[in-house]
Amino acid sequence: NAGVTQTPKFRILKIGQSMTLQCTQDMNHNYMYWYRQDPGMGLKLIYYSVGAGITDKGEVPNGYNVSRSTTEDFPLRLELAAPSQTSVYFCASSPGQGAGTEAFFGQGTRLTVV
Amino acid sequence: AQSVTQLDSQVPVFEEAPVELRCNYSSSVSVYLFWYVQYPNQGLQLLLKYLSGSTLVKGINGFEAEFNKSQTSFHLRKPSVHISDTAEYFCAVSNAGGTSYGKLTFGQGTILTVHP
């Protein structure tokens, strides 16, 4: 079972470029999330989705956009990349049966903006 | 709003020694509590969680944690660590209410390094 799959694993962007981080899950989970991880800061929620067609902002949404056209996919779009977006990005999913259900994480995408 | 504070950024220990990783949280509502582990260059994996009931929670790999509501703490413990426990550990909380949608608030992380 693949779980949560993120692509690419690594990427270097130039300032002002744009890109899409891909995330797909094969567990038929309703809830999906994007977090960013910065050293010594833990993980911060960027955006989340509770089902196809429904997305909402998290704690640090500026500079990012998301869409959820299917249950499986939850891509994260970076427009006009900035050095402050250098980070490790994690996608996660959860069955959504209750707030205490476990979130399953992908392997992460390490992004560097130069 | 919620916040999580992990009191130690790094914890070095020798193999077979006991370890405690400390976590305190702040919230105006009831919360669920989690510990996740991140091995190098990997995603996060759930160690254990507290939802309700017994305040002592047992997880995978011999880890356990105790929920202390009066001290708003959820410290992680293991009586004897192995080299393979070397990793970064994250404490996290989510709002126990129905509209939280499983969103997690994380602590800053504690790097556990086990020396031979």
Side-chain angles (χ1 to χ4, degrees), chain A residues 31 33 35 37 40-45 48 50 57 90 98-108 110, chain B residues 32 34 36 38 41-44 46 49 51 88 90 94-97 100-104 106-109:
Chain A
Y31 294 177
Y33 316 86
Y35 292 89
Q37 181 184 24
M41 303 291 288
L43 283 76
K44 305 286 187 187
L45 181 65
Y48 68 101
V50 299
K57 296 177 180 178
F90 288 100
T101 53
E102 176 184 353
F104 294 82
F105 285 79
Q107 300 276 56
R110 185 175 296 274
Chain B
Y32 297 138
F34 305 81
Y36 281 86
Q38 183 181 31
N41 299 315
Q42 293 190 25
L44 278 72
L46 183 69
K49 62 183 178 183
L51 304 184
E88 189 162 17
F90 292 95
S94 70
N95 186 333
S100 74
Y101 305 119
K103 294 178 290 181
L104 294 167
F106 285 88
Q108 300 90 331

Side-chain angles (χ1 to χ4, degrees), chain B residues 53-76:
Chain B
S54 173
T55 57
L56 183 62
V57 180
K58 294 189 183 296
I60 62 171
N61 300 339
F63 283 93
E64 63 181 32
E66 186 155 20
F67 170 56
N68 187 318
K69 187 174 182 179
S70 63
Q71 297 187 8
T72 60
S73 67
F74 191 54
H75 301 334
L76 181 70

Side-chain angles (χ1 to χ4, degrees), chain A residues 6-82:
Chain A
Q6 292 181 235
T7 56
K9 288 186 169 47
F10 304 94
R11 182 73 186 268
I12 298 175
L13 276 184
K14 293 184 178 180
I15 295 171
Q17 287 184 323
S18 62
M19 76 164 293
T20 299
L21 282 66
Q22 301 292 344
C23 175
T24 187
Q25 52 96 3
D26 62 0
M27 298 174 282
N28 200 33
H29 287 172
N30 288 323
Y31 294 177
M32 295 187 74
Y33 316 86
W34 275 105
Y35 292 89
R36 59 176 287 172
Q37 181 184 24
D38 300 300
M41 303 291 288
L43 283 76
K44 305 286 187 187
L45 181 65
I46 305 171
Y47 270 95
Y48 68 101
S49 168
V50 299
I54 306 170
T55 63
D56 205 351
K57 296 177 180 178
E59 185 180 354
V60 289
N62 292 343
Y64 307 95
N65 278 300
V66 293
S67 60
R68 184 99 181 268
S69 57
T70 67
T71 299
E72 295 77 20
D73 300 308
F74 190 41
L76 178 72
R77 178 82 176 164
L78 279 71
E79 305 281 3
L80 297 175

